[in-house]
């Protein structure tokens, strides 16, 4: 490890602050040009994938589950409802509704839980939506739904260009003389835990 830091309190082990509006707080990069950075404003960008490492096989193995990415900034929620004579009104979770902009178009996907003529979203409001059965059906089945809405404050962002940030990172990196050709980028199936790789510093008795 180039840097090993450890504490046993509730304060940050490492605290990094950058007060410049578009500055970098943290940059991690390899010799192949891949990087992961934290930028002021709370933004995290990585050239690789963002994953959760989850134990399986009773804890004997750990596997990576990959985050779903999209060209725009979406928040989603899931739930269930019940038709009554072919109609159901769904109210959005009020906390979730505060995180998204439902004044603009959002998407709802329906999965019926039983035999019916089919379901459709009859209307949408900022607070919820109405589900109806096709062909004026009167079923009383349950259904699941998925709602996807734009994150509030990020509605106009789509495929934001990060070329300049990438160039800045490359310019920041020192270039040692007679350096070897950068190795090819790896794509491990199960990334090793950096915590497991670190070796605690031995303290004198």
């Amino acid at each position: 490890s180039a840097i090993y830091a450890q504490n046993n309190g509730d304060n940050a082990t490492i605290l990094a602050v950058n007060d410049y509006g578009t500055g970098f707080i943290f940059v991690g990069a390899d010799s192949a040009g891949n990087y992961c950075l934290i930028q002021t404003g709370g933004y995290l960008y990585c050239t690789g994938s963002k994953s959760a490492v989850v134990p399986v096989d009773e804890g004997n193995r750990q596997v990576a589950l990959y985050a779903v990415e999209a060209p725009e900034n979406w928040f989603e929620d899931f739930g269930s409802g019940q038709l009554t004579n072919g109609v159901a009104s769904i109210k959005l979770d009020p906390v979730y509704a505060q995180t998204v902009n439902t004044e603009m178009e959002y998407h709802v996907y329906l999965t019926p839980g039983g035999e019916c003529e089919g379901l459709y979203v009859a209307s949408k409001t900022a607070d919820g939506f109405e589900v109806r059965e096709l062909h004026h059906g009167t079923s009383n089945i349950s259904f699941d739904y998925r709602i996807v809405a734009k994150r509030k404050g990020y509605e106009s962002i789509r495929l934001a260009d990060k070329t300049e940030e990438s160039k800045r990172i490359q310019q920041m990196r020192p270039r040692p003389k007679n350096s070897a050709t950068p190795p090819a980028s790896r794509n491990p199936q199960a990334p090793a835990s950096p915590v497991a790789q670190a070796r605690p510093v031995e303290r004198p008795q």
Side-chain angles (χ1 to χ4, degrees), residues 91-148:
K91 291 293 185 183
L92 301 183
D93 182 296
V95 178
Y96 168 76
Q98 295 177 60
T99 68
V100 293
N101 186 349
T102 52
E103 297 291 344
M104 63 188 305
E105 180 68 15
Y106 59 87
H107 305 284
V108 178
Y109 304 93
L110 304 171
T111 304
E115 184 72 26
C116 68
E117 294 290 329
L119 304 178
Y120 71 99
V121 178
S123 63
K124 300 176 188 175
T125 68
D127 301 319
F129 54 93
E130 183 180 84
V131 177
R132 288 183 175 270
E133 185 175 1
L134 288 170
H135 306 141
H136 307 287
T138 57
S139 297
N140 297 303
I141 64 165
S142 63
F143 61 91
D144 298 325
Y145 66 85
R146 172 188 176 217
I147 175 174
V148 183

Side-chain angles (χ1 to χ4, degrees), residues 47-187:
T47 55
S49 62
K50 293 176 282 293
S51 305
V53 178
V54 181
V56 295
D57 296 340
E58 299 181 348
N60 293 316
R61 292 197 306 129
Q62 295 193 24
V63 296
L65 296 176
Y66 300 97
V68 177
E69 312 261 7
E72 297 173 284
N73 210 318
W74 301 96
F75 283 164
E76 59 184 354
D77 195 14
F78 299 82
S80 299
Q82 179 81 39
L83 291 182
T84 302
N85 294 322
V87 181
S89 293
I90 300 296
K91 291 293 185 183
L92 301 183
D93 182 296
V95 178
Y96 168 76
Q98 295 177 60
T99 68
V100 293
N101 186 349
T102 52
E103 297 291 344
M104 63 188 305
E105 180 68 15
Y106 59 87
H107 305 284
V108 178
Y109 304 93
L110 304 171
T111 304
E115 184 72 26
C116 68
E117 294 290 329
L119 304 178
Y120 71 99
V121 178
S123 63
K124 300 176 188 175
T125 68
D127 301 319
F129 54 93
E130 183 180 84
V131 177
R132 288 183 175 270
E133 185 175 1
L134 288 170
H135 306 141
H136 307 287
T138 57
S139 297
N140 297 303
I141 64 165
S142 63
F143 61 91
D144 298 325
Y145 66 85
R146 172 188 176 217
I147 175 174
V148 183
K150 293 283 186 69
R151 180 180 178 179
K152 187 174 293 185
Y154 294 77
E155 296 91 339
S156 62
I157 298 175
R158 179 177 173 83
L159 294 171
D161 194 323
K162 294 300 171 183
T163 306
E164 292 305 315
E165 282 87 346
S166 298
K167 291 179 180 178
R168 286 170 59 192
I169 292 172
Q170 297 304 318
Q171 293 170 356
M172 291 166 50
R173 298 181 39 149
R175 296 294 181 183
K177 295 181 179 180
N178 301 322
S179 59
T181 302
S185 176
R186 294 182 301 144
N187 183 21

